[in-house]
Amino acid sequence: MPVIESTKKAYDKLTWTWRPSSDKEAGDAIVKNLLLHWFPNKISKASLSWNYSMWLGTISFVLFMILVFTGVILMFLYVPSVERAYSSVKDIEFVVSFGWLLRGMHRIAAHLMVAAVFFHMVRVFLTGAYKNGSAIGANRPLNWIIGIVLLLLTLLLSFTGYLLPWDQLAYWAITVGTNIASSAPLVGKAMRFFLLGGNTIDQNTLIRFYVLHVFFLPMMVLLLFSYHMWRVRKDGGLAVADHEALDQRPEKIAPVKSKTYSLLGITNGTTVHVQNTMVDEEKNTVPSSPHLLRRIWLVTLLTFVATFLLTIIFRAPLEAPANPAVTPNPAKAPWYFLWLQEIVTITTVKIGSFTINGALIGGILLPGILLALAIWWPYRDKSSINSVGVWFAKERKIQNWVFISICALIIIFMIIGTFLRGPYWNFYWPWEAWPEMPVKF
Ligand code: HEM
């Protein structure tokens, strides 16, 4: 049947890169494909391990791509105007065919991306992968800093998207979030004014957040991500490959026995043996096609399925339309900023008529110090090259524990802020009922 045959041919043409039949085809698959040519021809087996990177960076990028695809379709349906934003989201949710799925996947992927990028950073820290190995020209500390900027951009992307439905949840989360930012000394008020496009959250804010959300921030993420990946190549691949190369330093590799030979009986000699300082290519690397490509496909598929299932389980909320006159009690920031809101509350202390400003301590100084520490740490960490690319290296025990403790505290505060804080930010166990609150105008 000619139709079946031509379909099979088209399928083969489309997919031959995933199942090369020779080393030459495997090489061609990478070099000749626009999308694949940025991968190395061969990759160390250690980098492909599931346990080392947990593929969290790849998962973050797949989630970003889901956000781009669903976001572009949402742009055809959403209207960024104070009068129409809420009703357009309501239409997407209840009128447009599969609109709820589109909006839900966009929302779940956004939440997941914040978490995936955070845990990717945690894994990079715990494997000491922000340090240089033996590759010439490596600059992993720079890639760590690029990563921190990517994390901040991811948070901003999510934060700017939060406002767009223009419901009570959106309006008040952004009010709380920007109020925290405004407590920075000297520049705080100006910063809030600049972010909101005025003193109140209104049309100026909506259009500002919209442009940042659909164009400026995604572009920045895309550009920086490309640089992030290019640096991974320049830095000699993942740090675990560096560690493998170190394990095979010439002194650790048993010398290969040299052969003696004679040429036509005229001259005798021994083979010249050149020792390799990098990983033993034959034994420890495999062609990227199909080994890396198949794993990337699998990770993409699993991330997509997980996002899809979570979207069906947790429907995206849509509260009453934004109303500046009705303040919910409690008014909460987005979940990834709730640890800051929690610290702001704990550090706000009233002694008589004197008040210690928690917003300054918890909202600005503490995150500022944490950020500065994160940027400085790769240059401060003097642990040896042996601990690069190794999970929980003994040498880095103390710093790993300090890092884990800080992350654990952030997560605990987030959980408290999300589930255990009620009216006036009082503490309530999940089984305790909240008191009836009069609506504040
Ligand atoms: C949008 C956010 C980000 C994306 C899409 C991303 C993507 C990736 C990918 C795909 C890799 C290859 C290995 C892997 O999958 O783990 C990687 C490696 C790396 N990332 Fe990220 N990343 C992001 C944010 C970050 C952050 C927040 C940090 C740290 C602060 C960071 C630091 C690094 C470093 C140092 C490497 C090299 C790791 C190694 O050699 O083992 N990245 N990133």
Side-chain angles (χ1 to χ4, degrees):
M1 288 264 262
V3 180
I4 295 180
E5 222 157 74
S6 56
T7 314
K8 191 178 171 309
K9 259 191 194 162
Y11 176 77
D12 281 351
K13 205 172 171 191
L14 210 70
T15 59
W16 69 274
T17 51
W18 306 102
R19 34 187 179 76
S21 53
S22 64
D23 271 6
K24 182 183 174 309
E25 262 196 18
D28 282 354
I30 297 294
V31 179
K32 291 187 177 170
N33 187 306
L34 178 70
L35 277 181
L36 306 183
H37 82 278
W38 65 341
F39 293 123
N41 214 337
K42 286 194 151 195
I43 185 153
S44 73
K45 285 183 193 161
S47 314
L48 294 177
S49 135
W50 297 104
N51 297 342
Y52 174 68
S53 72
M54 298 178 170
W55 295 76
L56 284 160
T58 311
I59 293 173
S60 307
F61 187 68
V62 174
L63 288 166
F64 177 70
M65 287 322 287
I66 295 177
L67 284 165
V68 171
F69 279 118
T70 48
V72 167
I73 307 176
L74 283 171
M75 277 173 77
F76 285 102
L77 305 164
Y78 174 80
V79 187
S81 103
V82 168
E83 288 81 29
R84 293 188 51 199
Y86 181 79
S87 56
S88 66
V89 173
K90 212 169 171 185
D91 281 351
I92 294 170
E93 192 66 40
F94 299 108
V95 180
V96 176
S97 307
F98 295 107
W100 65 271
L101 186 63
L102 197 65
R103 172 170 178 248
M105 281 195 75
H106 194 76
R107 209 176 162 101
I108 291 284
H111 289 318
L112 288 181
M113 184 173 167
V114 172
V117 173
F118 175 77
F119 284 113
H120 170 58
M121 178 190 71
V122 171
R123 108 68 193 141
V124 168
F125 191 93
L126 296 180
T127 52
Y130 52 76
K131 284 168 65 74
N132 288 332
S134 52
I136 297 161
N139 195 350
R140 285 215 181 90
L142 175 62
N143 217 14
W144 165 264
I145 293 171
I146 300 289
I148 289 178
V149 180
L150 278 169
L151 174 64
L152 295 178
L153 286 174
T154 306
L155 290 174
L156 265 178
L157 248 177
S158 184
F159 187 64
T160 47
Y162 225 90
L163 183 66
L164 305 186
W166 205 252
D167 63 350
Q168 278 289 75
L169 183 72
Y171 186 88
W172 290 100
I174 301 305
T175 305
V176 174
T178 49
N179 277 348
I180 293 178
S182 74
S183 53
L186 304 175
V187 291
K189 296 272 179 299
M191 220 160 69
R192 186 173 190 271
F193 189 91
F194 179 70
L195 205 61
L196 299 187
N199 284 318
T200 51
I201 297 179
D202 52 25
Q203 181 61 55
N204 284 352
T205 321
L206 185 59
I207 202 70
R208 228 161 247 229
F209 274 42
Y210 180 72
V211 174
L212 284 173
H213 186 74
V214 303
F215 177 72
F216 194 73
L217 294 169
M219 277 304 185
M220 294 269 294
V221 168
L222 211 56
L223 283 177
L224 271 186
F225 170 72
S226 310
Y227 184 65
H228 195 56
M229 289 298 92
W230 183 71
R231 276 245 61 93
V232 170
R233 287 285 299 269
K234 290 276 284 182
D235 295 344
L238 295 192
V240 71
D242 245 309
H243 185 74
E244 204 172 36
L246 201 68
D247 256 1
Q248 296 170 6
R249 272 174 306 192
E251 63 265 27
K252 288 197 176 174
I253 300 174
V256 179
K257 275 198 184 143
S258 304
K259 270 190 191 161
T260 53
Y261 63 86
S262 123
L263 275 181
L264 299 173
I266 304 169
T267 172
N268 295 323
T270 43
T271 46
V272 179
H273 174 62
V274 181
Q275 270 189 334
N276 193 357
T277 52
M278 296 305 284
V279 280
D280 180 340
E281 278 228 357
E282 275 305 305
K283 259 204 290 182
N284 297 307
T285 65
V286 285
S288 292
S289 163
H291 300 274
L292 172 64
L293 303 188
R294 279 192 189 155
R295 279 173 174 77
I296 290 181
W297 255 122
L298 188 63
V299 172
T300 305
L301 205 70
L302 289 179
T303 308
F304 185 85
V305 171
T307 310
F308 181 79
L309 290 179
L310 287 173
T311 304
I312 291 175
I313 299 169
F314 301 104
R315 290 292 294 268
L318 185 63
E319 294 191 355
N323 186 349
V326 179
T327 318
N329 187 358
K332 294 188 179 184
W335 62 270
Y336 38 83
F337 288 146
L338 277 181
W339 60 286
L340 291 177
Q341 199 175 348
E342 182 64 24
I343 296 170
V344 167
T345 318
I346 295 173
T347 49
T348 300
V349 184
K350 273 196 176 151
I351 311 167
S353 58
F354 182 71
T355 305
I356 296 174
N357 184 354
L360 176 62
I361 300 169
I364 303 296
L365 292 181
L366 194 78
I369 290 170
L370 285 180
L371 194 65
L373 264 177
I375 292 172
W376 176 61
W377 195 254
Y379 302 98
R380 165 71 188 78
D381 177 359
K382 297 281 183 272
S383 57
S384 81
I385 198 171
N386 292 311
S387 67
V388 177
V390 182
W391 273 97
F392 299 113
K394 266 202 192 123
E395 256 187 275
R396 309 178 63 255
K397 198 171 166 182
I398 296 177
Q399 66 203 59
N400 278 345
W401 275 115
V402 172
F403 183 79
I404 290 174
S405 308
I406 293 174
C407 292
L409 271 179
I410 289 177
I411 294 173
I412 290 170
F413 281 157
M414 258 184 226
I415 293 174
I416 294 178
T418 309
F419 299 109
L420 306 176
R421 289 296 184 181
Y424 302 108
W425 213 252
N426 287 334
F427 187 93
Y428 293 90
W429 289 108
W431 53 87
E432 282 179 323
W434 289 2
E436 277 295 316
M437 293 314 301
V439 177
K440 254 197 197 173
F441 291 96

